Amino acid sequence: MGEQLTSLEDLKAKFGKYPELADLFKEIEAKIREINEYNKNSAGHDELGKTYHENVDEPTATITELLKKVWHAVENAGQGGTNTADILNNGDDQAAHLP
């Protein structure tokens, strides 16, 4: 079972690292795209190169797409956590001003 959030600070702490994680996934995805370009340009276009590309190009494209999806999911989760913390914080501020 997941950890329980007991305060607004807990929420902020849990989601505070998400932007950093999203940046890391973005960097990894960019490096894999770069490696894929080297890969496509390196194997050649003879029979051996064609066989190589038939076996390697699709899986490397799939890995790139997977990392892109992970990056976006982490980025969205982090933004959602930040937005939720802001909403709760604003609610606390508004509640403090009620009679």
Side-chain angles (χ1 to χ4, degrees):
M1 190 163 197
E3 294 180 37
Q4 188 174 15
L5 298 174
T6 58
S7 71
L8 183 56
E9 291 306 314
D10 286 347
L11 182 65
K12 288 179 182 179
K14 297 292 182 200
F15 287 99
K17 294 285 185 182
Y18 276 63
E20 186 179 323
L21 286 172
D23 289 344
L24 181 61
F25 280 114
K26 184 178 180 180
E27 286 179 36
I28 292 169
E29 188 267 336
K31 286 293 182 189
I32 287 178
R33 263 190 292 116
E34 185 179 328
I35 291 167
N36 288 345
E37 281 304 310
Y38 290 135
N39 179 43
K40 286 181 182 179
N41 297 324
S42 299
H45 300 287
D46 59 3
E47 271 314 300
L48 185 59
K50 288 178 184 177
T51 301
Y52 176 81
H53 286 296
E54 288 171 4
N55 290 293
V56 174
D57 288 354
E58 186 178 338
T60 55
T62 302
I63 290 170
T64 303
E65 285 303 310
L66 174 62
L67 279 170
K68 189 181 289 186
K69 288 177 183 179
V70 170
W71 158 40
H72 286 296
V74 170
E75 187 174 55
N76 289 336
Q79 188 60 54
T82 299
N83 292 345
T84 301
D86 289 345
I87 289 167
L88 294 172
N89 194 38
N90 289 338
D92 283 349
D93 289 346
Q94 289 177 4
H97 293 19
L98 292 175

